[in-house]
Amino acid sequence: KIAQADVMFAGSAISLSPTSIVNDAGESAAIDGRYDIASGDFQVSLTSSGMAIASLRRQVSVAGAPLLGLATSGIWSGSLRYDRPPVGATASGAGVAASGWTGDIHLRDTDIPFEAFAQPIHVLDADASIDSGGAVVKHLSMTVGGIPAQGEYRYETGALHPHRFRI
């Protein structure tokens, strides 16, 4: 639910001021963003101190947010940002970031299915950092098929074998 949102139009740019999203359980997240129709420049940020992943499941899976987009349940907190530079800009250009998600999130009591496992991994607690190179999950406490484990996980964007677990 969004009680109020301030949307501003300036030339070819549309901006959303920080806006609170509240789910049925009263958990909240803040979202803000900017899109320039002429250049294609797009940024959006999402921050929460704790919110059910199911509340945003449809939106984050469609947007391709790493880890959250794969999760089927659980609680997330932290900050995520998506950037898409102007059309024609390159990541090697001065001050131009690569397209994609960045941020730091915390996952709690989260189920994430992986092809390599017959059952979803149940993340009890984990800290993740996301950037254009992929995702790094540290302090990972989980169960796989009911067996408790601790370790780390890495996802390397574009790698032949992108998923790396150390359990």
Side-chain angles (χ1 to χ4, degrees):
K1 298 174 188 172
I2 298 174
Q4 179 179 347
D6 292 326
V7 179
M8 294 165 278
F9 299 87
S12 62
I14 303 167
S15 299
L16 173 67
S17 295
T19 301
S20 181
I21 301 169
V22 180
N23 67 13
D24 291 337
E27 302 162 329
S28 66
I31 187 169
D32 65 271
R34 182 178 187 282
Y35 177 61
D36 189 306
I37 297 167
S39 71
D41 187 33
F42 176 67
Q43 299 104 30
V44 65
S45 296
L46 186 62
T47 303
S48 180
S49 60
M51 180 178 239
I53 293 169
S55 299
L56 298 173
R57 174 98 174 101
R58 188 175 57 188
Q59 292 81 2
V60 295
S61 63
V62 170
L67 300 175
L68 287 182
L70 299 172
T72 58
S73 65
I75 304 292
W76 78 279
S77 60
S79 296
L80 283 173
R81 179 177 174 89
Y82 182 84
D83 286 294
R84 185 182 69 206
V87 174
T90 62
S92 60
V96 177
S99 288
W101 290 96
T102 58
D104 294 303
I105 60 172
H106 182 80
L107 300 173
R108 183 170 40 92
D109 198 26
T110 303
D111 290 325
I112 304 174
F114 280 94
E115 293 176 10
F117 300 102
Q119 296 177 352
I121 291 173
H122 182 75
V123 176
L124 301 169
D125 208 46
D127 294 316
S129 292
I130 299 162
D131 63 25
S132 61
V136 176
V137 180
K138 293 188 176 186
H139 309 116
L140 175 59
S141 177
M142 65 184 171
T143 60
V144 181
I147 300 169
Q150 294 185 350
E152 294 181 359
Y153 164 76
R154 292 184 180 275
Y155 177 82
E156 297 175 6
T157 303
L160 181 59
H161 302 287
H163 302 284
R164 302 278 185 209
F165 284 93
R166 187 184 65 75
I167 299 175

